[in-house]
Amino acid sequence: MKKGDIPSVLAISHGAGDPKRDSVIAVFTDQEGHLREYLKLDTLHPEHHQEEDYQGPDTKDREALADLLRRRRPQVIVVGDRKSTRLNSSH
């Protein structure tokens, strides 16, 4: 990319952040700003399972997101939620 180029973007939001209540939404836009693909996922939070070969809903959702990343190869990834975030600059 050169300065001034518009990147392709994958924006991901997990609502208010409650994995039991809020879906994860992923939206991919191309370099012209057109919506090309979106996913609505139940969760990306892995359940704490003892079985190594567990294939529950959380695994399928994570695989769907990984597939989107492989196919679309976004130049920018933005992650956010509905909560307001304030940076603490007093270090």
Side-chain angles (χ1 to χ4, degrees):
M1 277 187 63
K2 298 180 292 194
K3 185 175 181 177
D5 286 352
I6 299 172
S8 60
V9 177
L10 177 64
I12 303 172
S13 174
H14 57 88
D18 182 349
K20 294 178 183 171
R21 193 182 73 206
D22 299 323
S23 296
V24 175
I25 304 295
V27 177
F28 176 81
T29 60
D30 65 17
Q31 290 145 325
E32 295 177 0
H34 298 128
L35 173 65
R36 293 297 178 200
E37 188 169 352
Y38 84 95
L39 294 173
K40 181 177 180 183
L41 309 169
D42 290 330
T43 185
L44 294 177
H45 294 274
E47 299 292 328
H48 299 288
H49 295 281
Q50 299 297 327
E51 303 87 26
E52 195 171 299
D53 60 344
Y54 174 75
Q55 292 292 315
D58 56 313
T59 302
K60 292 175 187 170
D61 287 344
R62 286 184 280 134
E63 287 174 359
L65 181 59
D67 180 60
L68 184 142
L69 288 165
R70 277 190 293 274
R71 287 183 296 103
R72 296 295 188 171
R73 301 187 56 85
Q75 294 167 309
V76 174
I77 298 174
V78 179
V79 179
D81 60 24
R82 290 188 320 193
K83 296 178 183 177
S84 61
T85 303
R86 183 170 44 168
L87 298 175
N88 184 355
S89 60
S90 60
H91 288 266

